[in-house]
Amino acid sequence: MTVAYCDGHRCRALRGRSPLDAPDGEREDLTERLRRAVRASHGGVLVRAECLGACHRAPALLLLTGADPAGRRGMLIGPVEESPHIDAVVDLIRKADSPGP
């Protein structure tokens, strides 16, 4: 699984606009929350991407899953600004990380 977060101008500005509460009471941004979720996965990779071309859905990210690169399917997710959005993305990462049937 690969999680690519958009680092285009609009996404970067919106991502930094609303820090989230971290479990330890500190403030963190979307990137740090994604980093923690991907680190907890098995073999997940988090990458910073240039503009994903989805400015209307900023801040956006792309979740790629699948073992075969030729068969990869991506899911464009956005906007991801508020805690419920982040929680939903973390759940998607966990589900993508779990072994299939």
Side-chain angles (χ1 to χ4, degrees):
M1 166 211 22
T2 302
V3 180
Y5 68 91
C6 182
D7 200 35
H9 296 293
R10 181 170 170 78
C11 285
R12 186 179 326 121
L14 290 173
R15 206 174 45 246
R17 182 176 71 166
S18 54
L20 307 163
D21 291 326
D24 60 4
E26 295 293 318
R27 305 288 273 169
E28 67 181 354
D29 67 1
L30 168 64
T31 308
E32 186 55 37
R33 189 96 172 257
L34 289 172
R35 189 173 289 123
R36 280 200 342 246
V38 172
R39 277 188 189 145
S41 71
H42 301 293
V45 177
L46 177 66
V47 295
R48 178 177 56 105
E50 294 295 323
C51 181
L52 294 175
C55 297
H56 63 289
R57 294 179 68 180
L61 59 95
L62 184 62
L63 177 64
L64 299 166
T65 60
D68 181 359
R72 283 188 173 252
R73 287 189 239 169
M75 181 185 318
L76 182 65
I77 304 168
V80 183
E81 290 186 278
E82 300 172 9
S83 284
H85 302 154
I86 305 295
D87 293 341
V89 169
V90 169
D91 285 343
L92 286 171
I93 291 169
R94 288 182 182 141
K95 287 177 184 170
D97 187 44
S98 62

